[in-house]
Amino acid sequence: MMRALLVDDETAFAELLAERLRARGIAVRTAYDAESALALLDAGEEFDVAVLDVCLPGASGIDLLRRMKARLPLVEALMLTGSSDVRNAVEGMRHGAFNYLLKPADIDDLVRELRAAHERKLRQEENARMIEAGKLASIGRLAEGVAHEINNPVNIMTNAAGWIEDLLDEPDLASSPHAAEMRRSVVKIKAQSRRVREITRKLLFFGKGLDPRPGPVRMADLLGEALRLLADRAADLGV
């Protein structure tokens, strides 16, 4: 259901117009000046289209339009004006109003313009969602690329730490006075490598680089990847 805000200082006119719009399936809230209209927005009221009288007490309908657009850029607005204030109504369109109607506006014309304005708001919201989705997809791809780039050196660091552990088992190094400190350093390297792996795992999930669903795998491919990661260490160990 379309949600409309009707702002007009002629109370009887505003209430009657609101009832006629409600009878046509439009949810309407009324306000009689700019400040009370803004108070509705401050209270969290949400609207699709605002119908604003150009001449309001205090802040004008144009001023209200500017302030409303600053808070809710996607809300559309129709300006209601007398024949002598058409210039101001046109000024409102320069500030983002969808259209203007002369008082007394025909109810069918007003409903038609409200629906057209509502359609434009829906299109703008859909465009905004598509732009946001595109940004998220780009960020996801970037995150995935960063995760892969980080994982490669971390894999080398982890394997190098394992190699150091193997070397520390050799008699010459095992008897070194620095052997215990070196083992503690290897433990730290491995712990921090696991921490980085966890971070990159989250990045891959964010970028949809990992699929949590179970499925078939080619063990030969996995083994080949593992052997490539271990190639340097295996060669040094004579494997």
Side-chain angles (χ1 to χ4, degrees):
M1 178 182 291
M2 186 197 316
R3 301 161 298 180
L5 171 64
L6 175 59
V7 187
D8 197 297
D9 62 326
E10 297 179 38
T11 307
F13 167 79
E15 292 301 333
L16 178 58
L17 183 56
E19 286 302 320
R20 298 184 73 188
L21 292 174
R22 291 184 188 114
R24 288 162 172 78
I26 300 173
V28 183
R29 290 295 304 272
T30 55
Y32 309 114
D33 55 43
E35 294 307 320
S36 56
L38 292 171
L40 289 175
L41 298 179
D42 290 338
E45 294 274 1
E46 296 184 0
F47 303 100
D48 301 304
V49 186
V51 181
L52 311 177
D53 186 12
V54 170
C55 295
L56 293 172
S60 70
I62 305 300
D63 293 330
L64 173 57
L65 175 64
R66 291 196 196 100
R67 294 164 71 179
M68 185 183 70
K69 282 288 189 179
R71 301 185 189 193
L72 302 169
L74 294 183
V75 173
E76 294 293 344
L78 294 173
M79 309 303 295
L80 290 181
T81 180
S83 58
S84 61
D85 293 320
V86 171
R87 180 186 297 178
N88 289 333
V90 173
E91 177 70 14
M93 293 181 68
R94 284 200 287 268
H95 289 284
F98 178 76
N99 205 348
Y100 73 90
L101 293 172
L102 294 177
K103 285 184 173 182
D106 179 79
I107 188 65
D108 292 330
D109 290 342
L110 178 57
V111 170
R112 184 175 59 252
E113 292 296 331
L114 280 170
R115 288 175 176 160
H118 187 212
E119 285 295 323
R120 187 168 82 164
K121 178 178 183 287
L122 293 178
R123 288 195 301 271
Q124 289 178 335
E125 288 177 337
E126 181 61 26
N127 289 338
R129 282 192 292 269
M130 291 177 65
I131 292 171
E132 189 64 23
K135 289 180 180 179
L136 288 174
S138 298
I139 294 173
R141 289 192 294 271
L142 176 62
E144 185 177 353
V146 169
H148 283 300
E149 289 300 319
I150 292 175
N151 270 341
N152 289 333
V154 169
N155 288 331
I156 295 172
M157 290 165 54
T158 302
N159 285 299
W163 186 18
I164 294 172
E165 269 189 324
D166 293 342
L167 293 175
L168 286 172
D169 290 333
E170 297 293 328
D172 291 345
L173 288 178
S175 59
S176 168
H178 303 295
E181 182 178 349
M182 292 175 68
R183 290 187 186 278
R184 287 193 295 271
S185 296
V186 168
V187 170
K188 290 180 180 179
I189 292 172
K190 286 188 169 184
Q192 294 304 313
S193 296
R194 287 193 295 270
R195 181 182 175 189
V196 173
R197 282 179 182 275
E198 180 61 22
I199 294 171
T200 57
R201 185 185 70 83
K202 293 177 181 178
L203 284 173
L204 285 170
F205 272 120
F206 180 77
K208 296 183 175 62
L210 293 178
D211 189 345
R213 296 172 298 181
V217 296
R218 290 175 54 86
M219 290 303 297
D221 293 342
L222 295 180
L223 180 58
E225 179 65 21
L227 289 175
R228 281 191 293 275
L229 293 173
L230 292 169
D232 291 341
R233 182 180 175 195
D236 288 331
L237 294 174
V239 177

